């Protein structure tokens, strides 16, 4: 199997490597723990063994001395007394020899370690070897420091290393002073070469690591496939995403049925696609609408100019053409201004210059114009102003917002109808209601009227609408962190509600 270059930088590979490292470290740690623990237990056991052996020798020697003293007094056979009638009698030159050999028979060795030999050495009080249970080639003299401590009456446990042809041979020993009639007499030492123990420990370590290696290989193999399976939806998603182009934004990627992070990623991606598609469609729609809106006045102007230029005209005719061309140009200018305004909001809607202002004053100002405008339809305009409605806002844009709403309330009102404006403070917000008695808005249209260039029925709107008024109103409200809603009964009227956060300065005064 040839692995692609990508494999080594893939998450799959990284997780795999991390897993192997973590597992190896953990197993190594536990192996060492087991090793140290076992080593300690073994050494402790050996120490106990040495101690027991020294004690045995000591009590035997003491018994021997006692028997010897008794025999000296009575003239009997102390050896036969002590060993139950054994015939051999030790020579006078090595009085401990038999005792020591008797006590260090191989069957007295530790049954758990049949290859572990315990040696007994006897030193005189100068630290020189007097006797030994086995041929003792290396251990002739007791170390000075140890001798010193032994002579003080301590039981000294220590590790040593004897030189040999194969390097130094490690061992452990326990030495103790024997006292006879109140005088330091001999030193008994039990000693074990540690080679077999070391070999046993080494074997344990090798076994532990060999088994761990097998576990690591098996577990890593398993983890590799597990990770591969877990991440395979990601590969699948990548392939699907790669196939999504601007012309098929309606495609959605398949969400794995796992309810995990990857499923959430897929869902989020689909949501993003949906938003993108919506925005793409609305961009396209906007371009179509803009072209359409700009085309109509331009066609009119062009037609008028062409007709006028066909022959010589009177000054009055030229003036009339220019006048109507000017009207169309003004209309064009308004569309372009509004579009620019919306584009600005899209870019820096939140960077408006804000100041605290009283909405009641602002509304009263706008209503003066609206009253004039409403006279054409004989509209009654009323304003119920609550307590000073202070908000933090941009005066120019807020005026635009309410002017758009109020102009619509005139535009879509019926002859002799009315407009009612109410401002009131609700907790942390100022609520402005603009109610009219006009044609109303069908329920299915209520969501869409805030979209750019959306007009319910072009025929019913008077000629000067572009479908931008409410989308501007919504952008202004959003930039002020407010909210806009509409309620309407088709045929009898519409109410727009705008909530804006109370100005901070005012808020401070009213709550403290
Ligand atoms: P327009 O320039 O067409 O007025 P708007 O964005 O201001 O554009 O409004 C969008 C549509 O919402 C309008 O075409 C109109 O049909 C509907 N509309 C807005 N305000 C009212 C209202 N007060 N009464 C009835 N319909 C309204």
């Amino acid at each position: 199997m040839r692995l692609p270059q990508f494999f080594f930088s893939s998450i799959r590979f990284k997780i795999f490597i991390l897993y192997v490292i973590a597992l190896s470290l953990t197993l190594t740690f536990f192996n060492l723990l087991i090793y140290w623990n076992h080593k300690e237990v073994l050494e402790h056991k050996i120490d106990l063994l040495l101690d027991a052996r020294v004690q045995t020798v000591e009590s035997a020697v003491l018994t021997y001395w006692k028997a010897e003293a008794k025999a000296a007094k009575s003239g009997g056979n102390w050896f036969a007394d002590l060993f139950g009638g054994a015939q051999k009698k030790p020579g006078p030159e090595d009085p401990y020899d038999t005792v020591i050999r008797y006590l260090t028979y191989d069957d007295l060795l530790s049954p758990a370690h049949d290859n572990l030999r315990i040696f007994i050495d006897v030193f005189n009080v100068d630290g020189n070897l007097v006797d030994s249970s086995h041929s003792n080639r290396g251990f002739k003299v007791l170390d000075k420091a140890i001798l010193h401590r032994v002579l003080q009456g301590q039981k000294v446990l220590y590790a040593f290393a004897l030189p040999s042809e194969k390097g130094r041979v490690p061992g452990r020993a326990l030495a103790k002073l024997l006292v006879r009639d109140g005088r330091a007499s001999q030193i008994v030492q039990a000693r074990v070469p540690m080679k077999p123990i070391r070999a046993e420990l080494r074997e344990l370590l090798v076994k532990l690591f060999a088994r761990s290696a097998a576990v690591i290989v098996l577990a890593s193999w398993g983890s590799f496939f597990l990770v591969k399976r877990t991440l395979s939806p990601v590969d699948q998603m990548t392939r699907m995403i790669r196939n999504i182009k601007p012309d098929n934004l309606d495609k959605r990627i398949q969400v794995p049925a796992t309810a995990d992070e990857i499923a959430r990623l897929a869902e989020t991606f689909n949501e993003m696609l949906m938003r993108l598609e919506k925005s793409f469609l609305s961009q396209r729609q906007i371009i179509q609408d803009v072209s359409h809106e700009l085309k109509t006045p331009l066609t009119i102007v062009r037609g008028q100019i062409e007709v006028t230029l066909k022959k010589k005209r009177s000054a009055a005719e030229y003036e009339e053409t220019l006048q109507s061309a000017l009207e169309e140009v003004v209309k064009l200018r308004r569309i372009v201004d509004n579009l620019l305004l919306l584009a600005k909001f899209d870019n820096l809607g939140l960077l408006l210059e804000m100041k605290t202002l009283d909405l009641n004053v602002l509304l009263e100002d706008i209503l003066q114009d609206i009253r004039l405008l409403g006279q054409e339809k004989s509209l009654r305009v009323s304003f119920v102003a609550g307590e000073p409605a202070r908000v933090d806002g941009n005066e120019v844009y807020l005026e635009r917002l309410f002017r758009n709403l109020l102009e619509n309330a005139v535009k879509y009102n019926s002859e002799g109808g009315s407009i009612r404006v109410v401002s009131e403070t609700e907790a942390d917000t100022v609520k402005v209601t603009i109610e009219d008695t006009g044609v109303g808005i069908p329920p299915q249209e209520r969501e869409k009227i805030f979209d750019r260039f959306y007009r319910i029925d072009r025929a019913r709107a008077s000629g000067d609408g572009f479908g931008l008024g409410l989308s501007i109103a919504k952008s202004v409200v959003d930039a002020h962190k407010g909210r806009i809603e509409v309620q309407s009964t088709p045929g009898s009227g519409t109410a727009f509600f705008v909530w804006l956060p109370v100005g901070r300065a005012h808020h401070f005064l009213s709550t403290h």
Side-chain angles (χ1 to χ4, degrees):
M1 175 173 75
R2 261 195 70 218
L3 295 169
Q5 189 67 27
F6 162 75
F7 176 78
F8 296 105
S9 56
S10 67
I11 293 185
R12 196 184 309 163
F13 182 67
K14 284 178 195 158
I15 293 181
F16 171 69
I17 287 292
L18 273 179
Y19 179 76
V20 171
I21 292 176
L23 191 65
S24 309
L25 286 179
T26 316
L27 284 177
T28 306
F29 176 72
F30 276 106
N31 286 346
L32 290 178
L33 213 65
I34 293 173
Y35 174 81
W36 288 118
N37 190 45
H38 194 68
K39 186 170 182 251
E40 230 165 68
V41 168
L42 272 183
E43 281 177 0
H44 184 62
K45 266 190 186 164
I46 284 178
D47 292 350
L48 291 178
L49 210 64
L50 291 174
D51 192 51
R53 198 52 57 88
V54 164
Q55 262 182 39
T56 317
V57 173
E58 182 185 19
S59 66
V61 170
L62 292 180
T63 312
Y64 168 77
W65 280 339
K66 249 187 232 161
E68 201 182 37
K70 216 165 129 195
K73 262 190 225 160
S74 64
N77 184 347
W78 61 267
F79 185 78
D81 285 354
L82 189 59
F83 296 111
Q87 288 311 301
K88 188 182 178 289
K89 192 178 168 187
E93 69 287 352
D94 55 351
Y96 309 110
D97 203 33
T98 307
V99 174
I100 287 165
R101 279 189 212 300
Y102 181 77
L103 289 169
T104 53
Y105 280 153
D106 280 352
D107 61 352
L108 285 175
L109 291 176
S110 156
H113 300 278
D114 48 5
N115 56 351
L116 196 69
R117 318 206 67 181
I118 300 182
F119 295 70
I120 302 288
D121 304 318
V122 180
F123 298 91
N124 62 20
V125 287
D126 298 326
N128 295 319
L129 188 75
V130 178
D131 202 353
S132 193
S133 60
H134 301 70
S135 71
N136 184 338
R137 269 166 288 139
F139 217 116
K140 299 282 184 223
V141 199
L142 207 53
D143 181 82
K144 281 263 163 352
I146 291 163
L147 177 67
H148 180 71
R149 282 167 60 202
V150 173
L151 289 178
Q152 283 178 340
Q154 290 178 29
K155 244 193 229 172
V156 181
L157 197 63
Y158 67 99
F160 61 86
L162 288 181
S164 82
E165 311 91 65
K166 291 186 208 151
R168 296 174 82 77
V169 183
R172 252 177 120 68
L174 189 134
K176 194 180 178 212
L177 181 69
L178 299 185
V179 181
R180 185 179 193 178
D181 300 331
R183 277 187 30 239
S185 175
Q186 264 93 26
I187 295 161
V188 176
Q189 168 174 277
R191 162 168 67 87
V192 173
M194 292 294 273
K195 230 174 155 181
I197 301 289
R198 292 277 159 94
E200 184 186 323
L201 283 172
R202 208 172 312 124
E203 202 178 311
L204 172 75
L205 207 60
V206 169
K207 244 189 225 165
L208 282 175
F209 275 100
R211 282 176 198 172
S212 301
V215 168
I216 290 170
V217 168
L218 274 178
S220 310
W221 190 253
S223 88
F224 184 78
F225 285 103
L226 201 73
V227 172
K228 192 174 164 184
R229 245 195 78 182
T230 314
L231 289 179
S232 74
V234 174
D235 285 342
Q236 217 178 332
M237 271 163 66
T238 312
R239 276 197 298 278
M240 285 192 274
I241 292 170
R242 203 169 278 150
N243 284 331
I244 294 177
K245 307 264 151 56
D247 55 343
N248 60 3
L249 278 177
D250 56 333
K251 259 197 178 167
R252 296 290 174 266
I253 61 172
Q254 212 178 325
V255 179
T258 44
D260 57 7
E261 287 88 340
I262 293 170
R264 274 215 306 278
L265 179 70
E267 271 163 23
T268 314
F269 187 79
N270 278 343
E271 281 164 20
M272 189 194 80
L273 268 184
M274 208 168 73
R275 284 198 299 271
L276 264 182
E277 187 195 6
K278 217 173 140 194
S279 126
F280 250 69
L281 288 180
S282 89
Q283 290 300 358
R284 206 177 283 170
Q285 186 65 39
I286 285 171
I287 292 175
Q288 273 174 15
D289 289 338
V290 170
S291 330
H292 181 82
E293 293 297 333
L294 296 181
K295 210 167 138 192
T296 315
L298 284 173
T299 314
I300 294 173
V301 173
R302 182 181 162 187
Q304 285 170 340
I305 294 175
E306 274 175 356
V307 170
T308 312
L309 287 180
K310 276 214 167 108
K311 54 177 188 179
K312 281 260 173 260
R313 306 272 178 188
S314 66
E317 279 173 320
Y318 283 127
E319 196 177 320
E320 194 191 328
T321 305
L322 283 175
Q323 198 64 46
S324 90
L326 181 65
E327 266 173 37
E328 295 303 326
V329 169
V330 168
K331 212 188 252 178
L332 277 172
R333 175 69 203 253
R334 280 226 322 262
I335 298 179
V336 173
D337 278 352
N338 282 333
L339 281 173
L340 278 178
L341 186 80
L342 280 171
K344 228 186 207 165
F345 265 114
D346 286 349
N347 291 335
L348 39 94
L350 295 173
L351 297 174
L352 290 183
E353 201 181 294
M354 305 279 198
K355 68 173 193 191
T356 304
L357 50 96
D358 187 344
L359 274 191
N360 288 344
V361 178
L362 183 74
L363 285 169
E364 192 54 70
D365 235 28
I366 304 170
L367 282 172
Q368 279 180 9
D369 296 342
I370 296 300
R371 284 196 185 96
L372 282 178
L373 208 62
Q375 275 173 7
E376 281 180 29
K377 283 186 172 175
S378 322
L379 300 179
R380 270 173 296 117
V381 179
S382 66
F383 178 33
V384 184
E387 55 184 282
R390 284 187 201 284
V391 294
D392 286 336
N394 181 293
E395 192 166 4
V396 176
Y397 289 118
L398 285 180
E399 179 177 342
R400 198 54 171 269
L401 153 71
F402 291 113
R403 210 173 264 283
N404 286 354
L405 292 178
L406 284 163
E407 280 172 4
N408 280 350
V410 175
K411 229 177 354 180
Y412 302 105
N413 219 323
S414 30
E415 219 25 71
S418 65
I419 298 175
R420 206 171 92 94
V421 181
V422 181
S423 81
E424 56 205 317
T425 307
E426 283 182 349
D428 283 349
T429 52
V430 175
K431 178 185 176 192
V432 177
T433 308
I434 295 170
E435 227 176 328
D436 65 53
T437 52
V439 288
I441 300 168
Q444 71 275 14
E445 307 280 357
R446 276 171 212 160
E447 279 292 307
K448 295 184 231 155
I449 52 171
F450 295 102
D451 291 348
R452 287 172 197 186
F453 288 112
Y454 191 81
R455 289 154 83 189
I456 292 174
D457 174 6
R458 284 166 198 269
R460 83 177 190 164
S462 52
D464 58 350
F466 312 113
L468 287 177
L470 286 181
S471 71
I472 290 176
K474 177 139 177 44
S475 295
V476 175
V477 170
D478 288 345
H480 285 80
K481 299 201 170 55
R483 193 153 58 90
I484 183 165
E485 276 178 20
V486 62
Q487 267 177 20
S488 182
T489 316
S492 70
T494 306
F496 278 92
F497 306 96
V498 174
W499 288 268
L500 293 169
V502 165
R504 248 171 284 142
H506 176 71
H507 187 63
F508 182 79
L509 283 177
S510 64
T511 53
H512 294 272

